[in-house]
Amino acid sequence: MITSNIYNTEFNNLIRKKRYNTNILAEGYDNGSGSYQVPIGNGHDFTSSIAKENVFRRLGTVIPTPTKEGYIQMLSSTADAAIVQEGQAYPEDADFFDRATFRSYKIAAISKLGNQFVDDMHFDVEGYLKNEYARRFGRAEEKLCIAGTGIDEPLGLLKTAAVGTMMDSINSLSYDSVIELYLSIKPEYRKNGTWLMNDTTALALRKLKDVNGNYLWRISDDTILGKKVEISPYMPDIAAGASPIAFGDLSYVWFLERQPLSLKVLSELYANENATGYAAFERMDCKLIRPEAVALLSIAE
């Protein structure tokens, strides 16, 4: 939700512990936690800042939702258009409706600032907190969307994506095995496909060549077979029982913003340190809604 300019001004007064208007701040107030939504829009770019830290906020489908639990309606279509003769019946569609269950998981963090910074009008308190929380929450989100266990946290990509290629051992990684993973995905998902791996795996793939000595990885634009590579430290290393490479259309990873990032000022808790605390939290969930849209290169145990 984009916050208003007057709300953004009062929020800045709040975090600097200056006099603020509670009526205006009611726009972003969460009664249950006593917190206020971090400003969004109107020159306040927290959304773009956190997207830099979480690949699924960039390439996934972000869905703001007003409720903390419940279902999301889904529509899937595999129908094609076709030529028909005059008077001939139109082809029936192959659409089907379904619904996915999403939950509300709370992520939280506290940041402290010395009061000399809070009182310094030349120090951008809001900018500092925006960048700090974008880093903390964005990385936490990405880790959960990839490696979440589904136990008191989201069920991540590694648990829900299909296995496209299975290798016998860590020494089986080859040019051909990467091609097999690429072709294990249906063309409709390859079209907007993205590779996902960590730095260690990326280094191994950068060294792969075909029989003619051509590198698999195109260094000029960091692509493999014309598809962009995204690096995440939360993808596993090349190891027995691991799935170090994912490929597919990441737009089918739905990221639900159950409650946007909200913040509470802790004026007294750290007073003996001459500091002010800022407790922030959000509620989210994420899920690969179509398992066949992303495939994994896995290694046997």
Side-chain angles (χ1 to χ4, degrees):
M1 180 186 73
I2 295 178
T3 51
S4 67
N5 281 324
I6 56 173
Y7 175 86
N8 299 342
T9 298
E10 292 305 312
F11 182 87
N12 192 268
N13 290 333
L14 169 72
I15 61 177
R16 285 191 176 275
K17 299 192 296 183
K18 297 170 63 178
R19 181 178 297 178
Y20 55 87
N21 188 315
T22 55
N23 291 329
I24 293 175
L25 284 175
E27 174 186 329
Y29 183 65
D30 177 63
N31 188 58
S33 64
S35 300
Y36 296 88
Q37 181 186 332
V38 171
I40 299 292
N42 294 311
H44 298 259
D45 58 348
F46 178 76
T47 300
S48 59
S49 295
I50 197 170
K52 294 176 183 177
E53 302 288 347
N54 180 357
V55 63
F56 300 104
R57 281 188 178 265
R58 299 193 304 275
L59 302 180
T61 300
V62 179
I63 305 175
T65 60
T67 59
K68 296 182 180 179
E69 301 287 343
Y71 300 99
I72 297 294
Q73 299 293 337
M74 298 190 302
L75 170 64
S76 181
S77 175
T78 57
D80 294 314
I83 291 178
V84 296
Q85 301 301 319
E86 292 297 334
Q88 183 179 351
Y90 287 17
E92 295 283 344
D93 68 46
D95 297 345
F96 67 90
F97 300 89
D98 199 0
R99 59 182 185 178
T101 303
F102 285 87
R103 297 186 61 189
S104 178
Y105 298 100
K106 185 177 180 179
I107 305 176
I110 291 179
S111 181
K112 292 190 293 183
L113 265 179
N115 287 332
Q116 67 272 26
F117 292 105
V118 178
D119 296 334
D120 184 355
M121 296 306 298
H122 297 289
F123 182 76
D124 185 1
V125 176
E126 184 179 331
Y128 169 80
L129 292 175
K130 176 196 71 178
N131 293 329
E132 183 66 14
Y133 286 134
R135 178 184 64 81
R136 296 191 195 187
F137 284 84
R139 294 179 186 182
E141 293 168 357
E142 183 171 297
K143 182 178 181 179
L144 291 168
C145 290
I146 290 175
T149 63
I151 302 173
D152 297 326
E153 63 184 23
L155 189 62
L157 187 70
L158 295 175
K159 295 286 188 180
T160 51
V163 175
T165 302
M166 177 65 76
M167 301 193 312
D168 295 331
S169 70
I170 60 174
N171 298 318
S172 302
L173 182 64
S174 65
Y175 193 108
D176 289 344
S177 61
V178 177
I179 300 295
E180 288 175 8
L181 177 62
Y182 177 80
L183 292 175
S184 71
I185 291 287
K186 293 179 180 179
E188 62 190 277
Y189 304 126
R190 288 204 304 266
K191 184 183 301 182
N192 296 314
T194 300
W195 300 93
L196 188 63
M197 65 193 73
N198 69 17
D199 280 323
T200 302
T201 305
L203 178 59
L205 263 60
R206 277 178 175 266
K207 298 178 180 179
L208 292 182
K209 301 178 184 178
D210 65 13
V211 293
N212 297 315
N214 298 311
Y215 282 99
L216 173 69
W217 187 300
R218 191 163 68 181
I219 299 176
S220 61
D221 58 1
D222 284 331
T223 60
I224 296 175
L225 303 176
K227 303 303 180 182
K228 191 70 177 176
V229 177
E230 288 284 343
I231 302 296
S232 173
Y234 309 111
M235 286 294 290
D237 289 332
I238 299 172
S243 298
I245 305 173
F247 175 73
D249 190 341
L250 298 183
S251 71
Y252 287 97
V253 177
W254 285 12
F255 184 93
L256 265 71
E257 285 187 326
R258 287 297 193 186
Q259 185 170 357
L261 188 72
S262 298
L263 180 150
K264 183 176 183 179
V265 180
L266 307 176
S267 299
E268 304 299 329
L269 186 59
Y270 303 106
N272 62 332
E273 302 177 33
N274 194 30
T276 298
Y278 299 93
F281 78 97
E282 66 174 5
R283 298 184 189 274
M284 53 74 68
D285 195 4
C286 57
K287 182 176 295 187
L288 176 63
I289 63 163
R290 195 174 293 182
E292 64 179 3
V294 180
L296 302 172
L297 184 148
S298 299
I299 305 171
E301 297 187 16

